[in-house]
Amino acid sequence: MSTTLKFATVGSVDDGKSTLIGRLLLDSKAIFDDQLEHITAVSRRRGDDVADLALLTDGLRAEREQGITIDVAYRYFATPRRSFVIADCPGHIQYTRNMVTGASNVDLAIVMVDARHGVVEQTRRHTLLVSLLGVPHLVICVNKMDLVGNDEAAFQAVIDQFTEFAAKLELRDVTFIPISALNGDNVVDRSPDMPWYQGTSLLRHLETVYTASDHNLIDTRFPVQYVIRPRTTEHHDFRGYAGTMAGGSLRVGDDVVVLPSGLPTTVAAIDGFDGPCTEARSGDAVVVRLTDHVDVSRGDMIVRPNNHPVVTQDLDAMICWMDDRAPLRPRAMYTLQHTTRTVRAVVTDLRYELDISTLHRNTEATELGLNAIGRIALHTTAPLFVDDYHRNRTTGGFILIDEQTNATVAAGMIAERGR
Amino acid sequence: MVARPLVDESISIIREAAAQFERPALLFSGGKDSVVMLHLALAAFRPAALPFPIMHVDTGHNFPEVIEFRDRMVEQCRVQLIVASVQASIDSGRVADVQGPRSSRNVLQTVTLLDAITEHRFDAVFGGARRDEERARAKERVFSHRDEFGQWDPKQQRPELWGLYNGRHRMNEHFRVFPLSNWTELDIWEFIREQRIELPSIYFAHRREVFRRDGMLMAATPFVERLPNEEPFETTVRFRTVGDASCTAAIESTAANYDEVVAETATARVTERGATRADDRISEAGMEDRKRQGYF
C-alpha cells in the first residue's frame, strides 16, 4: 500500500506557486482534458496567451476576478510511489487564517521564494507560521532560477539569508531546492542547466521524504469521541468507546487509566474498520472496549498508567487570531474546543504579541488583531488533558470560538510554561 | 487497498458530527458516493444501528434501477428513509416545474432539500461531495456552515484546524458535513471493489437507448423531451455518476464489473462531472452559485 503525503504550498501568485502546482499536476497526469480545455478557454477569453494554471486551483468567483488565492484549495495526484494531497494556501496576509487552516495538518510545507528577491517579509511570515504549526518538513523552493542565470551564488544567498533568520525558529527539517517552475527545472527531473545542484528534484523529494516517525508513537492518548451502546437484545451489554488515536498505541490486554476519573482498567477489545484488531496506533479510528464498567463519556481520555498528559485548567499558548470582527482582549471569555472536549475559557493574560518579521516580543500589547500572533494564558472552566504542541499536534492544539457569533476566532498551540 | 487513513478520517468525521449535532441526516441518492458514505456510516456505529435517518431528495425523474436499489438498501441496512419529493414541492406550489427539451429538475432540488431540512429540524446533513469533483467543492470545509436561508458564504468559511470541527450554530442554521472530502473518484471505486459494495446496476455496462446532445449520451427516458434531430439509438453504456435522469449522461463503456470499472476510471482523461453532468456546464461558477443558494 502506498503512503499519502499531505503538503501545503504557500506563496503568492507572483512567486510561481500556481505554476509549480500546475506543473506537478500536469506531469503526473492529474489534470483532465476537460479541465485543461476549460482553463484554456477562460484564459483565451481574457486575452491571455497561455493557459493560466492558477485557474485550476482558484475555484471561487472572487479569486478568479481578483487573480489571487483567497481560500485553501485541495488537489490530489499520485505517482507510482505515493499519493499526494496538496493544500494550496493563500499567501496574502489578510488570508492568513486560511493559510493556517491549510497548513495545520500537513506533513510538509513548500514555501516559495523568488530567486531575484531572496528572503522577503512574506517568506519570514510564512516560515514562522509553518514553524508555529509544527509542520515537520519544510521545503524552500527557490523559484525563477532561470531569471538569475541559474547562478549558484543566487541560490546560496537565499540559503544564507534564510538560515540566519530561521536560527530562532523551531524547524526540524529544511530542504532548499533551486527550481524554475515555468521551465520545469528540478521540479520532476533534475535540470541539466544547474549542474552544481547535487540534490534531488522536488517531486523526488516529495516521494521519498520520510514521515513515518512524525507521528507521536510514544505517548498513548485516546480521546473518547462517541460512546456506542446498541441497546439491543443481541448486544445488551455492549459499551464501546469510539475515537481516533491521538498518539502512541493501545493493545488488547493493556492496563489503562481513564481521565479525568483516574480509574484504572484494562483494554478488553479493539475494533477497527476491518474488524477486531490487537493493536491501535496513532491516527487509527477504533472502538475500544474496557474490562470494567467504569463511567466513560465523550471528552474523557484513555491513557497509560505511567504516561499521563498534563491535567490542567491553566494553559499557556501561542495563538493566531483569526477574527475580523473583534480583537482578542484580556478578560474575554470564549468557548474552547480541544480534542473531543469543549469547555469555556477566560483570557487571563496577554503575555506578548510576536512581530512576525523581527520575532520581537511586544509585551506592551493590549490586544491581538486579525492575523496577529501572540502568547496568552487561559483559565478553563474544567480540566483539559494536554501535551506540548510540539510533542503532539492533536493534544496540543485547540481552537477558540466566539460565543456570540460561533465563529472560530483563534488557533491555539499549547506551550510549556516558561518556554 | 484504499489507504486506511482515508477511511479512518471519514469515520472520525461521521462520529464527530453525530456527537456534536442533535438531529443529523445522511443524504442518499443511490449514487456511488452516497453508497460509500452510508457503508462507512454503518461501520462507524457498529454494532449499534445508524443513529440518524437517511434522506433521498427525489426529483421524480429517476432511473427505476436506482429506486429499486435504494429500497433494497433500506431493507438490508435497516435504516430509516425519508423521501423529500420535488414533485410534492411542485404540487404544493413551492416551485414551478420546468418545461421544454433542455429542462431539468436539478435546480429545483434546492428548495425541496431546504424545506425538508426545516420540516425535520435537521441541524446537519451528511453529503457525499468530494473536493476533487469540482473547483468550488475543492474550497469547501468538511463542516460547512449554512445560514438560516441555507446559504453558503465562501468568503466567511470558518478556519478548520487539525481534526477540530466547529459545528456550533444558531437556531435554524445548519451544517453540511462532507466525510468524503479527501477521496478521489478512483479511491471510491477501489474501495467499492475492495469491499464488494453493491451499486445500482446502471453503473456497469449495459445496453440502453440513448441520444446525443452536446456531445453527451443522454438516456432516452420519458422525462427528457427530445429535439427533432435527436434520434435515439441503442448502444452499450454505463453511468459514471447517477443523478436526476434529465441531467445525467451515460458514457460509452464496456466495463461490466468492478475490475473493469476501476481500470477505466484509472485511465479516464475527462472528469466525471465534465463527462456526464449537463448542469455543470451552465457557467464558469455554476456550482459555486448553486451552492451559495443551498444546493448539495
PDB file of all heavy atoms in Angstrom, chain A residues 31 33-34 61 63-64 71 76 104 225 274 298 337 389 408, chain B residues 4 12 16 135 139 158 162 165-166 182 269 271 284 288-289:
ATOM      1  N   ILE A  31      -4.364  16.285 -14.343  1.00  0.00           N
ATOM      2  CA  ILE A  31      -5.287  17.264 -14.915  1.00  0.00           C
ATOM      3  C   ILE A  31      -6.018  16.604 -16.071  1.00  0.00           C
ATOM      4  O   ILE A  31      -5.398  16.024 -16.962  1.00  0.00           O
ATOM      5  CB  ILE A  31      -4.540  18.524 -15.390  1.00  0.00           C
ATOM      6  CG1 ILE A  31      -3.908  19.210 -14.189  1.00  0.00           C
ATOM      7  CG2 ILE A  31      -5.492  19.466 -16.111  1.00  0.00           C
ATOM      8  CD1 ILE A  31      -3.109  20.428 -14.523  1.00  0.00           C
ATOM      9  N   ASP A  33      -8.579  16.331 -19.372  1.00  0.00           N
ATOM     10  CA  ASP A  33      -8.675  17.084 -20.624  1.00  0.00           C
ATOM     11  C   ASP A  33      -9.703  18.213 -20.539  1.00  0.00           C
ATOM     12  O   ASP A  33      -9.460  19.313 -21.010  1.00  0.00           O
ATOM     13  CB  ASP A  33      -9.042  16.141 -21.776  1.00  0.00           C
ATOM     14  CG  ASP A  33      -7.923  15.140 -22.054  1.00  0.00           C
ATOM     15  OD1 ASP A  33      -6.805  15.343 -21.523  1.00  0.00           O
ATOM     16  OD2 ASP A  33      -8.167  14.160 -22.781  1.00  0.00           O
ATOM     17  N   ASP A  34     -10.860  17.903 -19.917  1.00  0.00           N
ATOM     18  CA  ASP A  34     -11.888  18.947 -19.875  1.00  0.00           C
ATOM     19  C   ASP A  34     -11.493  20.099 -18.960  1.00  0.00           C
ATOM     20  O   ASP A  34     -11.856  21.246 -19.191  1.00  0.00           O
ATOM     21  CB  ASP A  34     -13.262  18.368 -19.470  1.00  0.00           C
ATOM     22  CG  ASP A  34     -13.219  17.598 -18.163  1.00  0.00           C
ATOM     23  OD1 ASP A  34     -12.239  16.866 -17.939  1.00  0.00           O
ATOM     24  OD2 ASP A  34     -14.160  17.729 -17.354  1.00  0.00           O
ATOM     25  N   ARG A  61     -15.375  32.442  -7.526  1.00  0.00           N
ATOM     26  CA  ARG A  61     -15.603  33.576  -8.407  1.00  0.00           C
ATOM     27  C   ARG A  61     -14.691  34.754  -8.030  1.00  0.00           C
ATOM     28  O   ARG A  61     -14.041  35.345  -8.882  1.00  0.00           O
ATOM     29  CB  ARG A  61     -17.070  33.991  -8.286  1.00  0.00           C
ATOM     30  CG  ARG A  61     -17.561  34.915  -9.330  1.00  0.00           C
ATOM     31  CD  ARG A  61     -19.012  35.283  -9.014  1.00  0.00           C
ATOM     32  NE  ARG A  61     -19.979  34.317  -9.520  1.00  0.00           N
ATOM     33  CZ  ARG A  61     -20.309  34.197 -10.802  1.00  0.00           C
ATOM     34  NH1 ARG A  61     -19.735  34.949 -11.716  1.00  0.00           N
ATOM     35  NH2 ARG A  61     -21.203  33.320 -11.188  1.00  0.00           N
ATOM     36  N   GLU A  63     -11.912  34.802  -6.487  1.00  0.00           N
ATOM     37  CA  GLU A  63     -10.499  34.540  -6.741  1.00  0.00           C
ATOM     38  C   GLU A  63     -10.167  34.735  -8.208  1.00  0.00           C
ATOM     39  O   GLU A  63      -9.122  35.262  -8.575  1.00  0.00           O
ATOM     40  CB  GLU A  63     -10.151  33.109  -6.319  1.00  0.00           C
ATOM     41  CG  GLU A  63     -10.287  32.886  -4.834  1.00  0.00           C
ATOM     42  CD  GLU A  63     -10.000  31.450  -4.429  1.00  0.00           C
ATOM     43  OE1 GLU A  63     -10.438  30.526  -5.131  1.00  0.00           O
ATOM     44  OE2 GLU A  63      -9.354  31.267  -3.405  1.00  0.00           O
ATOM     45  N   ARG A  64     -11.091  34.283  -9.049  1.00  0.00           N
ATOM     46  CA  ARG A  64     -10.864  34.411 -10.481  1.00  0.00           C
ATOM     47  C   ARG A  64     -10.925  35.865 -10.899  1.00  0.00           C
ATOM     48  O   ARG A  64     -10.172  36.318 -11.750  1.00  0.00           O
ATOM     49  CB  ARG A  64     -11.892  33.575 -11.228  1.00  0.00           C
ATOM     50  CG  ARG A  64     -11.623  32.113 -11.002  1.00  0.00           C
ATOM     51  CD  ARG A  64     -12.798  31.254 -11.328  1.00  0.00           C
ATOM     52  NE  ARG A  64     -12.322  29.888 -11.462  1.00  0.00           N
ATOM     53  CZ  ARG A  64     -12.223  29.243 -12.617  1.00  0.00           C
ATOM     54  NH1 ARG A  64     -12.604  29.802 -13.736  1.00  0.00           N
ATOM     55  NH2 ARG A  64     -11.740  28.039 -12.665  1.00  0.00           N
ATOM     56  N   ASP A  71      -8.833  31.312  -0.469  1.00  0.00           N
ATOM     57  CA  ASP A  71      -9.002  30.210   0.474  1.00  0.00           C
ATOM     58  C   ASP A  71      -8.230  28.980  -0.015  1.00  0.00           C
ATOM     59  O   ASP A  71      -7.852  28.893  -1.179  1.00  0.00           O
ATOM     60  CB  ASP A  71     -10.485  29.884   0.645  1.00  0.00           C
ATOM     61  CG  ASP A  71     -10.787  29.365   2.048  1.00  0.00           C
ATOM     62  OD1 ASP A  71      -9.870  28.784   2.673  1.00  0.00           O
ATOM     63  OD2 ASP A  71     -11.912  29.551   2.516  1.00  0.00           O
ATOM     64  N   TYR A  76      -5.424  16.685  -5.706  1.00  0.00           N
ATOM     65  CA  TYR A  76      -4.967  15.322  -5.457  1.00  0.00           C
ATOM     66  C   TYR A  76      -4.207  14.808  -6.657  1.00  0.00           C
ATOM     67  O   TYR A  76      -4.625  15.001  -7.790  1.00  0.00           O
ATOM     68  CB  TYR A  76      -6.184  14.428  -5.188  1.00  0.00           C
ATOM     69  CG  TYR A  76      -7.039  14.986  -4.086  1.00  0.00           C
ATOM     70  CD1 TYR A  76      -7.979  15.996  -4.342  1.00  0.00           C
ATOM     71  CD2 TYR A  76      -6.869  14.580  -2.775  1.00  0.00           C
ATOM     72  CE1 TYR A  76      -8.730  16.561  -3.323  1.00  0.00           C
ATOM     73  CE2 TYR A  76      -7.607  15.132  -1.746  1.00  0.00           C
ATOM     74  CZ  TYR A  76      -8.537  16.128  -2.030  1.00  0.00           C
ATOM     75  OH  TYR A  76      -9.260  16.693  -1.014  1.00  0.00           O
ATOM     76  N   SER A 104      -2.365  23.333   8.904  1.00  0.00           N
ATOM     77  CA  SER A 104      -2.408  22.813  10.273  1.00  0.00           C
ATOM     78  C   SER A 104      -2.127  21.316  10.361  1.00  0.00           C
ATOM     79  O   SER A 104      -1.589  20.854  11.339  1.00  0.00           O
ATOM     80  CB  SER A 104      -3.756  23.135  10.920  1.00  0.00           C
ATOM     81  OG  SER A 104      -4.800  22.399  10.312  1.00  0.00           O
ATOM     82  N   GLN A 225     -14.582   9.926  21.687  1.00  0.00           N
ATOM     83  CA  GLN A 225     -15.348  10.806  20.803  1.00  0.00           C
ATOM     84  C   GLN A 225     -16.840  10.519  20.890  1.00  0.00           C
ATOM     85  O   GLN A 225     -17.662  11.439  20.829  1.00  0.00           O
ATOM     86  CB  GLN A 225     -14.860  10.559  19.364  1.00  0.00           C
ATOM     87  CG  GLN A 225     -15.444  11.482  18.321  1.00  0.00           C
ATOM     88  CD  GLN A 225     -14.928  11.142  16.942  1.00  0.00           C
ATOM     89  OE1 GLN A 225     -14.515  10.013  16.649  1.00  0.00           O
ATOM     90  NE2 GLN A 225     -14.914  12.137  16.063  1.00  0.00           N
ATOM     91  N   ASP A 274     -11.756  -2.759   9.734  1.00  0.00           N
ATOM     92  CA  ASP A 274     -11.652  -4.109   9.178  1.00  0.00           C
ATOM     93  C   ASP A 274     -11.992  -5.206  10.185  1.00  0.00           C
ATOM     94  O   ASP A 274     -11.732  -6.374   9.937  1.00  0.00           O
ATOM     95  CB  ASP A 274     -10.250  -4.329   8.611  1.00  0.00           C
ATOM     96  CG  ASP A 274      -9.969  -3.412   7.441  1.00  0.00           C
ATOM     97  OD1 ASP A 274     -10.714  -3.482   6.455  1.00  0.00           O
ATOM     98  OD2 ASP A 274      -9.019  -2.600   7.518  1.00  0.00           O
ATOM     99  N   ARG A 298     -17.944  11.070  26.284  1.00  0.00           N
ATOM    100  CA  ARG A 298     -17.251  11.912  25.314  1.00  0.00           C
ATOM    101  C   ARG A 298     -16.458  12.992  26.046  1.00  0.00           C
ATOM    102  O   ARG A 298     -16.972  13.624  26.978  1.00  0.00           O
ATOM    103  CB  ARG A 298     -18.262  12.567  24.375  1.00  0.00           C
ATOM    104  CG  ARG A 298     -17.658  13.597  23.423  1.00  0.00           C
ATOM    105  CD  ARG A 298     -18.663  14.073  22.395  1.00  0.00           C
ATOM    106  NE  ARG A 298     -18.271  15.319  21.750  1.00  0.00           N
ATOM    107  CZ  ARG A 298     -17.512  15.392  20.650  1.00  0.00           C
ATOM    108  NH1 ARG A 298     -17.085  14.284  20.065  1.00  0.00           N
ATOM    109  NH2 ARG A 298     -17.196  16.561  20.121  1.00  0.00           N
ATOM    110  N   GLN A 337     -12.344  24.478  22.219  1.00  0.00           N
ATOM    111  CA  GLN A 337     -12.503  23.101  21.767  1.00  0.00           C
ATOM    112  C   GLN A 337     -11.122  22.456  21.665  1.00  0.00           C
ATOM    113  O   GLN A 337     -10.236  22.959  20.970  1.00  0.00           O
ATOM    114  CB  GLN A 337     -13.204  23.102  20.402  1.00  0.00           C
ATOM    115  CG  GLN A 337     -14.030  21.858  20.125  1.00  0.00           C
ATOM    116  CD  GLN A 337     -14.796  21.963  18.813  1.00  0.00           C
ATOM    117  OE1 GLN A 337     -15.353  23.015  18.503  1.00  0.00           O
ATOM    118  NE2 GLN A 337     -14.811  20.894  18.043  1.00  0.00           N
ATOM    119  N   TYR A 389       2.409  21.343  22.316  1.00  0.00           N
ATOM    120  CA  TYR A 389       2.037  21.216  20.905  1.00  0.00           C
ATOM    121  C   TYR A 389       3.142  20.587  20.064  1.00  0.00           C
ATOM    122  O   TYR A 389       2.882  19.810  19.156  1.00  0.00           O
ATOM    123  CB  TYR A 389       1.658  22.598  20.346  1.00  0.00           C
ATOM    124  CG  TYR A 389       1.266  22.551  18.895  1.00  0.00           C
ATOM    125  CD1 TYR A 389      -0.011  22.131  18.527  1.00  0.00           C
ATOM    126  CD2 TYR A 389       2.154  22.907  17.882  1.00  0.00           C
ATOM    127  CE1 TYR A 389      -0.385  22.060  17.195  1.00  0.00           C
ATOM    128  CE2 TYR A 389       1.789  22.837  16.551  1.00  0.00           C
ATOM    129  CZ  TYR A 389       0.526  22.420  16.207  1.00  0.00           C
ATOM    130  OH  TYR A 389       0.165  22.350  14.889  1.00  0.00           O
ATOM    131  N   THR A 408     -14.986  30.501  14.565  1.00  0.00           N
ATOM    132  CA  THR A 408     -13.695  30.064  15.092  1.00  0.00           C
ATOM    133  C   THR A 408     -12.767  31.270  15.026  1.00  0.00           C
ATOM    134  O   THR A 408     -12.483  31.771  13.942  1.00  0.00           O
ATOM    135  CB  THR A 408     -13.136  28.914  14.237  1.00  0.00           C
ATOM    136  OG1 THR A 408     -14.095  27.860  14.215  1.00  0.00           O
ATOM    137  CG2 THR A 408     -11.815  28.397  14.787  1.00  0.00           C
TER     138      THR A 408
ATOM    139  N   ARG B   4      -6.000   3.274   4.625  1.00  0.00           N
ATOM    140  CA  ARG B   4      -6.840   3.302   5.816  1.00  0.00           C
ATOM    141  C   ARG B   4      -6.936   4.686   6.466  1.00  0.00           C
ATOM    142  O   ARG B   4      -7.972   4.998   7.052  1.00  0.00           O
ATOM    143  CB  ARG B   4      -6.369   2.233   6.811  1.00  0.00           C
ATOM    144  CG  ARG B   4      -6.827   0.827   6.405  1.00  0.00           C
ATOM    145  CD  ARG B   4      -8.358   0.772   6.318  1.00  0.00           C
ATOM    146  NE  ARG B   4      -8.853  -0.491   5.814  1.00  0.00           N
ATOM    147  CZ  ARG B   4      -9.341  -0.700   4.594  1.00  0.00           C
ATOM    148  NH1 ARG B   4      -9.367   0.298   3.722  1.00  0.00           N
ATOM    149  NH2 ARG B   4      -9.793  -1.870   4.217  1.00  0.00           N
ATOM    150  N   SER B  12     -14.140   9.105  11.457  1.00  0.00           N
ATOM    151  CA  SER B  12     -13.967  10.058  12.544  1.00  0.00           C
ATOM    152  C   SER B  12     -14.863  11.288  12.344  1.00  0.00           C
ATOM    153  O   SER B  12     -15.469  11.790  13.300  1.00  0.00           O
ATOM    154  CB  SER B  12     -12.488  10.452  12.590  1.00  0.00           C
ATOM    155  OG  SER B  12     -12.265  11.326  13.636  1.00  0.00           O
ATOM    156  N   GLU B  16     -17.896  12.435  14.758  1.00  0.00           N
ATOM    157  CA  GLU B  16     -17.829  13.768  15.354  1.00  0.00           C
ATOM    158  C   GLU B  16     -19.137  14.519  15.121  1.00  0.00           C
ATOM    159  O   GLU B  16     -19.665  15.174  16.022  1.00  0.00           O
ATOM    160  CB  GLU B  16     -16.645  14.546  14.766  1.00  0.00           C
ATOM    161  CG  GLU B  16     -16.382  15.897  15.417  1.00  0.00           C
ATOM    162  CD  GLU B  16     -15.988  15.791  16.896  1.00  0.00           C
ATOM    163  OE1 GLU B  16     -15.529  14.714  17.329  1.00  0.00           O
ATOM    164  OE2 GLU B  16     -16.151  16.802  17.609  1.00  0.00           O
ATOM    165  N   ARG B 135     -14.273  22.613  -8.862  1.00  0.00           N
ATOM    166  CA  ARG B 135     -13.374  23.603  -8.255  1.00  0.00           C
ATOM    167  C   ARG B 135     -13.973  24.360  -7.069  1.00  0.00           C
ATOM    168  O   ARG B 135     -13.234  24.798  -6.198  1.00  0.00           O
ATOM    169  CB  ARG B 135     -12.843  24.559  -9.313  1.00  0.00           C
ATOM    170  CG  ARG B 135     -13.904  25.263 -10.108  1.00  0.00           C
ATOM    171  CD  ARG B 135     -13.320  25.982 -11.312  1.00  0.00           C
ATOM    172  NE  ARG B 135     -14.417  26.410 -12.165  1.00  0.00           N
ATOM    173  CZ  ARG B 135     -14.928  25.688 -13.136  1.00  0.00           C
ATOM    174  NH1 ARG B 135     -14.426  24.510 -13.412  1.00  0.00           N
ATOM    175  NH2 ARG B 135     -15.936  26.135 -13.849  1.00  0.00           N
ATOM    176  N   LYS B 139     -12.855  23.947  -2.442  1.00  0.00           N
ATOM    177  CA  LYS B 139     -12.621  25.025  -1.479  1.00  0.00           C
ATOM    178  C   LYS B 139     -13.419  24.847  -0.199  1.00  0.00           C
ATOM    179  O   LYS B 139     -13.283  25.634   0.726  1.00  0.00           O
ATOM    180  CB  LYS B 139     -13.063  26.357  -2.108  1.00  0.00           C
ATOM    181  CG  LYS B 139     -12.247  26.792  -3.298  1.00  0.00           C
ATOM    182  CD  LYS B 139     -11.036  27.555  -2.841  1.00  0.00           C
ATOM    183  CE  LYS B 139     -10.081  27.820  -3.978  1.00  0.00           C
ATOM    184  NZ  LYS B 139      -8.907  28.556  -3.541  1.00  0.00           N
ATOM    185  N   ARG B 158     -15.343  29.144   8.199  1.00  0.00           N
ATOM    186  CA  ARG B 158     -14.599  29.052   9.455  1.00  0.00           C
ATOM    187  C   ARG B 158     -13.275  28.346   9.226  1.00  0.00           C
ATOM    188  O   ARG B 158     -13.225  27.337   8.523  1.00  0.00           O
ATOM    189  CB  ARG B 158     -15.415  28.251  10.468  1.00  0.00           C
ATOM    190  CG  ARG B 158     -16.656  28.976  10.906  1.00  0.00           C
ATOM    191  CD  ARG B 158     -17.452  28.140  11.878  1.00  0.00           C
ATOM    192  NE  ARG B 158     -18.682  28.857  12.209  1.00  0.00           N
ATOM    193  CZ  ARG B 158     -19.641  28.374  12.974  1.00  0.00           C
ATOM    194  NH1 ARG B 158     -19.524  27.169  13.494  1.00  0.00           N
ATOM    195  NH2 ARG B 158     -20.720  29.086  13.227  1.00  0.00           N
ATOM    196  N   TRP B 162      -6.471  21.197  12.242  1.00  0.00           N
ATOM    197  CA  TRP B 162      -6.219  19.850  12.732  1.00  0.00           C
ATOM    198  C   TRP B 162      -7.473  19.015  12.476  1.00  0.00           C
ATOM    199  O   TRP B 162      -8.094  19.140  11.443  1.00  0.00           O
ATOM    200  CB  TRP B 162      -5.821  19.900  14.222  1.00  0.00           C
ATOM    201  CG  TRP B 162      -4.669  20.826  14.443  1.00  0.00           C
ATOM    202  CD1 TRP B 162      -3.389  20.665  13.987  1.00  0.00           C
ATOM    203  CD2 TRP B 162      -4.676  22.089  15.136  1.00  0.00           C
ATOM    204  NE1 TRP B 162      -2.619  21.741  14.358  1.00  0.00           N
ATOM    205  CE2 TRP B 162      -3.368  22.615  15.061  1.00  0.00           C
ATOM    206  CE3 TRP B 162      -5.662  22.816  15.814  1.00  0.00           C
ATOM    207  CZ2 TRP B 162      -3.028  23.845  15.632  1.00  0.00           C
ATOM    208  CZ3 TRP B 162      -5.302  24.017  16.385  1.00  0.00           C
ATOM    209  CH2 TRP B 162      -3.996  24.525  16.296  1.00  0.00           C
ATOM    210  N   TYR B 165     -13.445  20.254  14.455  1.00  0.00           N
ATOM    211  CA  TYR B 165     -14.536  20.774  13.649  1.00  0.00           C
ATOM    212  C   TYR B 165     -15.507  21.537  14.525  1.00  0.00           C
ATOM    213  O   TYR B 165     -16.002  21.015  15.517  1.00  0.00           O
ATOM    214  CB  TYR B 165     -15.253  19.610  12.941  1.00  0.00           C
ATOM    215  CG  TYR B 165     -14.319  18.795  12.080  1.00  0.00           C
ATOM    216  CD1 TYR B 165     -13.857  17.546  12.496  1.00  0.00           C
ATOM    217  CD2 TYR B 165     -13.850  19.304  10.871  1.00  0.00           C
ATOM    218  CE1 TYR B 165     -12.977  16.813  11.699  1.00  0.00           C
ATOM    219  CE2 TYR B 165     -12.975  18.577  10.079  1.00  0.00           C
ATOM    220  CZ  TYR B 165     -12.542  17.332  10.498  1.00  0.00           C
ATOM    221  OH  TYR B 165     -11.674  16.619   9.725  1.00  0.00           O
ATOM    222  N   ASN B 166     -15.754  22.782  14.161  1.00  0.00           N
ATOM    223  CA  ASN B 166     -16.639  23.643  14.936  1.00  0.00           C
ATOM    224  C   ASN B 166     -18.033  23.631  14.313  1.00  0.00           C
ATOM    225  O   ASN B 166     -18.276  24.270  13.305  1.00  0.00           O
ATOM    226  CB  ASN B 166     -16.047  25.061  14.963  1.00  0.00           C
ATOM    227  CG  ASN B 166     -16.992  26.078  15.565  1.00  0.00           C
ATOM    228  OD1 ASN B 166     -18.040  25.741  16.103  1.00  0.00           O
ATOM    229  ND2 ASN B 166     -16.608  27.347  15.469  1.00  0.00           N
ATOM    230  N   ASN B 182     -11.825  14.200   1.063  1.00  0.00           N
ATOM    231  CA  ASN B 182     -10.484  13.945   0.525  1.00  0.00           C
ATOM    232  C   ASN B 182     -10.377  12.689  -0.337  1.00  0.00           C
ATOM    233  O   ASN B 182      -9.277  12.262  -0.685  1.00  0.00           O
ATOM    234  CB  ASN B 182      -9.469  13.882   1.665  1.00  0.00           C
ATOM    235  CG  ASN B 182      -9.261  15.257   2.281  1.00  0.00           C
ATOM    236  OD1 ASN B 182      -9.209  16.265   1.572  1.00  0.00           O
ATOM    237  ND2 ASN B 182      -9.184  15.320   3.594  1.00  0.00           N
ATOM    238  N   ARG B 269      -9.631  10.346 -19.038  1.00  0.00           N
ATOM    239  CA  ARG B 269      -8.992  11.628 -19.337  1.00  0.00           C
ATOM    240  C   ARG B 269      -9.953  12.796 -19.167  1.00  0.00           C
ATOM    241  O   ARG B 269      -9.606  13.946 -19.404  1.00  0.00           O
ATOM    242  CB  ARG B 269      -8.405  11.626 -20.767  1.00  0.00           C
ATOM    243  CG  ARG B 269      -7.196  10.732 -20.983  1.00  0.00           C
ATOM    244  CD  ARG B 269      -6.094  10.903 -19.938  1.00  0.00           C
ATOM    245  NE  ARG B 269      -5.729  12.289 -19.713  1.00  0.00           N
ATOM    246  CZ  ARG B 269      -5.342  12.770 -18.537  1.00  0.00           C
ATOM    247  NH1 ARG B 269      -5.281  12.004 -17.472  1.00  0.00           N
ATOM    248  NH2 ARG B 269      -5.015  14.031 -18.427  1.00  0.00           N
ATOM    249  N   THR B 271     -13.023  14.451 -16.493  1.00  0.00           N
ATOM    250  CA  THR B 271     -13.577  14.329 -15.143  1.00  0.00           C
ATOM    251  C   THR B 271     -14.990  13.774 -15.206  1.00  0.00           C
ATOM    252  O   THR B 271     -15.659  13.881 -16.230  1.00  0.00           O
ATOM    253  CB  THR B 271     -13.646  15.693 -14.420  1.00  0.00           C
ATOM    254  OG1 THR B 271     -14.514  16.546 -15.177  1.00  0.00           O
ATOM    255  CG2 THR B 271     -12.284  16.337 -14.310  1.00  0.00           C
ATOM    256  N   GLU B 284     -19.000  29.338 -15.641  1.00  0.00           N
ATOM    257  CA  GLU B 284     -17.709  29.135 -15.012  1.00  0.00           C
ATOM    258  C   GLU B 284     -17.847  28.874 -13.513  1.00  0.00           C
ATOM    259  O   GLU B 284     -17.071  28.175 -12.910  1.00  0.00           O
ATOM    260  CB  GLU B 284     -16.900  30.413 -15.211  1.00  0.00           C
ATOM    261  CG  GLU B 284     -15.435  30.222 -15.299  1.00  0.00           C
ATOM    262  CD  GLU B 284     -14.763  31.564 -15.432  1.00  0.00           C
ATOM    263  OE1 GLU B 284     -15.146  32.338 -16.331  1.00  0.00           O
ATOM    264  OE2 GLU B 284     -13.876  31.832 -14.626  1.00  0.00           O
ATOM    265  N   GLU B 288     -20.564  26.959  -7.732  1.00  0.00           N
ATOM    266  CA  GLU B 288     -20.459  27.901  -6.613  1.00  0.00           C
ATOM    267  C   GLU B 288     -21.782  28.637  -6.416  1.00  0.00           C
ATOM    268  O   GLU B 288     -22.272  28.763  -5.292  1.00  0.00           O
ATOM    269  CB  GLU B 288     -19.328  28.910  -6.862  1.00  0.00           C
ATOM    270  CG  GLU B 288     -19.177  29.915  -5.720  1.00  0.00           C
ATOM    271  CD  GLU B 288     -18.115  30.967  -5.971  1.00  0.00           C
ATOM    272  OE1 GLU B 288     -17.262  30.760  -6.865  1.00  0.00           O
ATOM    273  OE2 GLU B 288     -18.137  31.995  -5.285  1.00  0.00           O
ATOM    274  N   ASP B 289     -22.361  29.099  -7.518  1.00  0.00           N
ATOM    275  CA  ASP B 289     -23.609  29.856  -7.416  1.00  0.00           C
ATOM    276  C   ASP B 289     -24.733  28.999  -6.845  1.00  0.00           C
ATOM    277  O   ASP B 289     -25.505  29.447  -6.007  1.00  0.00           O
ATOM    278  CB  ASP B 289     -24.001  30.400  -8.794  1.00  0.00           C
ATOM    279  CG  ASP B 289     -22.981  31.433  -9.280  1.00  0.00           C
ATOM    280  OD1 ASP B 289     -22.188  31.911  -8.449  1.00  0.00           O
ATOM    281  OD2 ASP B 289     -22.970  31.742 -10.482  1.00  0.00           O
TER     282      ASP B 289
END
